[in-house]
Amino acid sequence: MKKSIIILNVLALLLLTAYNGHAQQSTGSYYTAVDGTKIYYEVKGVGFPVILVHGFSGTGEGWKKGQLYTDLLNAGYKVVILDLRGNGRSDKPHTDAGYANDAEVKDIMGLAGSLKFKKYDVVGYSRGSIIASRLLVLDKQVQKLVMGGMGDAYTNPEWPRRIHAYKALMGDTTFHDVDGMINYIHSNPAFDVTALALQQKYQPSTSPQELAKVKIPVMIICGTDDHDNGSETALNKLIPGSKLNYVPGDHNSASRTIQFSAAVLAFLK
């Protein structure tokens, strides 16, 4: 009898532990965009909101692999991560209209509005910085913005690498400058190649003329060994009063470093 009670208590403890472990996991929600696309997001923390915008083929979950996500929470911020449309747990439209006309940017604006943010900060990395740059133009609610892993190449609407990536994802085998990206995408069956191609096709650019009108604080931050996406010094000159910071690492590693997190936190204060 006593042995049976012990076994039952152990089973109850295991079930309780499993339940608590599940309850402590981040539980996400869905924001429904104006076109009906469902955008997956998570919110954690209670302070001033910071939205983190991931790069090409990434997800919001990727931010948890670096230092910044945890450091922002420990510093008292409310942290929002999301899967941009076409990625992760968000819907993946296969139509041109699903990505044209700043659709991804409008998702972020709509999400911020649904969360009743009067003001918020934004940190983008790689393609996330390209999307975040449009917020400089379209959303007056943005208070400060960090552009990581980005130079001035995206300001050209005919950026050759963007065009080559789109065509290569659609099956064109003549553009070998994007072989690394294409091989990575095709190595993972979880990726929706059509959605990723459309993201490249309709990837927005922000013109130098638009950037010249920016009045909020902006920091550009790049890895010392990051030579992707054009010139960060040229981008720094295009945005009045923007700061330029360097941290150790290349394009794939810089955003996960302690130094990247420290620079962002110092800027957002």
Side-chain angles (χ1 to χ4, degrees):
M1 180 67 177
K2 187 180 291 185
K3 185 176 181 181
S4 297
I5 292 173
I6 292 172
I7 292 172
L8 287 171
N9 286 338
V10 169
L11 288 172
L13 180 61
L14 289 172
L15 287 170
L16 181 61
T17 301
Y19 173 80
N20 286 339
H22 176 74
Q24 289 171 3
Q25 291 176 357
S26 296
T27 53
S29 302
Y30 283 89
Y31 161 73
T32 302
V34 292
D35 65 349
T37 301
K38 289 183 171 58
I39 306 300
Y40 177 83
Y41 71 95
E42 297 177 12
V43 181
K44 193 170 183 179
V46 295
F48 189 82
V50 181
I51 298 179
L52 305 180
V53 188
H54 65 78
F56 182 63
S57 76
T59 65
E61 193 73 16
W63 287 103
K64 297 179 183 179
K65 297 177 182 178
Q67 190 72 28
L68 179 63
Y69 180 82
T70 300
D71 285 352
L72 284 169
L73 289 172
N74 289 340
Y77 289 95
K78 176 180 288 186
V79 182
V80 180
I81 57 175
L82 73 154
D83 295 349
L84 294 172
R85 58 173 60 208
N87 298 278
R89 284 170 277 194
S90 292
D91 285 348
K92 302 170 180 65
H94 281 191
T95 63
D96 288 41
Y99 301 91
N101 300 315
D102 290 311
E104 296 158 281
V105 183
K106 291 172 184 175
D107 289 341
I108 297 173
M109 294 170 63
L111 174 60
S114 73
L115 295 172
K116 302 189 184 308
F117 294 164
K118 294 182 179 179
K119 289 286 184 179
Y120 63 98
D121 293 337
V122 181
V123 180
Y125 194 79
S126 192
R127 187 177 184 275
S129 291
I130 296 174
I131 301 303
S133 179
R134 296 299 297 154
L135 289 167
L136 290 171
V137 177
L138 298 174
D139 195 355
K140 295 180 179 179
Q141 269 46 65
V142 178
Q143 179 172 280
K144 291 184 178 181
L145 189 141
V146 176
M147 298 177 65
M150 187 50 56
D152 66 335
Y154 81 99
T155 63
N156 175 11
E158 300 301 320
W159 185 12
R161 198 176 75 178
R162 176 191 67 77
I163 295 171
H164 294 175
Y166 163 65
K167 291 184 176 180
L169 286 166
M170 293 300 290
D172 191 327
T173 59
T174 60
F175 299 106
H176 298 294
D177 56 323
V178 292
D179 279 350
M181 176 194 297
I182 302 306
N183 292 337
Y184 171 69
I185 297 300
H186 287 304
S187 71
N188 190 337
F191 287 133
D192 187 316
V193 178
T194 299
L196 293 175
L198 289 169
Q199 287 168 47
Q200 289 294 317
K201 182 178 182 180
Y202 290 104
Q203 181 169 280
S205 62
T206 305
S207 71
Q209 293 76 21
E210 289 172 312
L211 291 175
K213 298 176 183 178
V214 170
K215 295 181 180 179
I216 70 167
V218 175
M219 181 174 72
I220 299 157
I221 180 168
C222 288
T224 51
D225 296 317
D226 184 354
H227 306 297
D228 292 358
N229 301 321
S231 168
E232 68 278 2
T233 55
L235 181 60
N236 176 222
K237 292 176 182 177
L238 290 175
I239 304 175
S242 62
K243 297 181 178 181
L244 177 59
N245 210 326
Y246 291 95
V247 298
D250 58 19
H251 190 72
N252 292 324
S253 64
S255 66
R256 298 193 294 270
T257 63
I258 295 173
Q259 293 89 342
F260 183 92
S261 178
V264 172
L265 285 167
F267 174 71
L268 295 182
K269 283 183 179 177

